[in-house]
Amino acid sequence: MARLVGCVNTSHVPAIGKAIASGLQQEPYWKPFFDGFPPIRAWLDEVRPDVAVVVYNDHGLNFFLDKMPTFALGAAPQYRNADEGWGIPTLAPFAGEPELSWHLIDCLIDCEFDLTTCQEMLVDHAFTLPMKLLWPDGQAPATVPLCINTVQFPLPGARRVWALGEALGRAIRSWDSDARVVVIGSGGLSHQLDGQRAGFINKDFDQRFLRSLVEDPTWATRYSIRDLVELTGSQGVELLMWLAARATLGERVRLVHRNYHIPISNTAAATLALAVD
Ligand code: DHB
Ligand code: FE
């Protein structure tokens, strides 16, 4: 059966893509963020995942407000990136793993998660940036994208997303394959891009949330979406991706590395890697 090796969660601010393209990783503004990655890449070199299941939220590139699935899973042989208007270079397509996609779809629908299945799917910065940060030289593993709506209300709640993550973890482990699989969660942490609270960041909440993922991983499921928007900003709800990714791993995890830096653009930028030994 497939082996789930751990998860890597990270923020996905578009400006990261520009910084990479311009080689600014060692500039004072960017260094504290990029310095979070070498220890995680060293761990990935050890565990050598064959597939990355990428849990992220689309921002209007593939799904727009007229049609917004709550949960959507990619089942394509490859996933194309396209220009979102942020000025980030468009990346080459990412390889899919349709056999795992269809296994996950079968398992998750059997567990009553009524996914939208996508045999064509454009992937935006929330998918491409973690891939580029974790595999900067383009040696990325095959991918399966799982999209969770955090754009068009109503959003799925934290408890539901946790349950989805648990079911996803069981489904990955039951795949009849020798593959090693890593789960990536892309989003957050606290940020708000518009409205009266634009620029809002809640360091205390973020730190508590980061600790909880190791010590008490269901801690954040006590909060409603309204609470999460209040506590973390209207885009801070992207932390749901982190919850789903963490929930795949089960109870016992080992902290590989964590990093927290305020701000990048408007976002409290964080990175957290957890291993299942
Ligand atoms: C920013 C953060 C995001 O999560 C996003 O999707 C776009 C922009 C920002 O802070 O600039
Ligand atoms: Fe975002």
Side-chain angles (χ1 to χ4, degrees), residues 86-234:
W86 296 106
I88 318 174
T90 301
L91 300 183
F94 292 81
E97 178 51 271
E99 192 188 306
L100 176 58
S101 292
W102 287 110
H103 172 74
L104 297 181
I105 289 164
D106 279 341
C107 292
L108 290 171
I109 290 183
D110 197 45
C111 296
E112 302 177 359
F113 289 94
D114 301 323
L115 303 165
T116 299
T117 59
C118 303
Q119 295 180 58
E120 255 186 285
M121 196 171 179
L122 290 175
V123 288
D124 78 358
H125 66 277
F127 177 100
T128 61
L129 291 175
M131 296 302 290
K132 196 75 186 153
L133 287 161
L134 297 173
W135 292 281
D137 304 323
Q139 72 288 38
T143 58
V144 174
L146 170 58
C147 218
I148 300 180
N149 167 35
T150 55
V151 171
Q152 169 86 317
F153 278 73
L155 313 185
R159 273 206 312 274
R160 181 72 174 148
V161 167
W162 178 269
L164 173 71
E166 285 185 317
L168 176 65
R170 286 194 300 273
I172 291 170
R173 287 192 196 87
S174 70
W175 182 31
D176 186 8
S177 159
D178 295 334
R180 290 175 299 274
V181 180
V182 68
V183 178
I184 295 175
S186 171
L189 291 187
S190 60
H191 63 301
Q192 171 143 346
L193 301 180
D194 46 22
Q196 283 183 352
R197 292 202 307 163
F200 176 80
I201 280 176
N202 185 345
K203 181 177 175 183
D204 288 342
F205 182 92
D206 289 342
Q207 298 281 358
R208 180 72 188 85
F209 178 63
L210 281 167
R211 273 202 316 279
S212 78
L213 292 181
V214 180
E215 294 165 8
D216 180 14
T218 58
W219 173 77
T221 62
R222 71 190 59 193
Y223 294 111
S224 68
I225 291 294
R226 255 187 110 85
D227 292 338
L228 288 174
V229 168
E230 198 169 315
L231 287 163
T232 70
S234 49

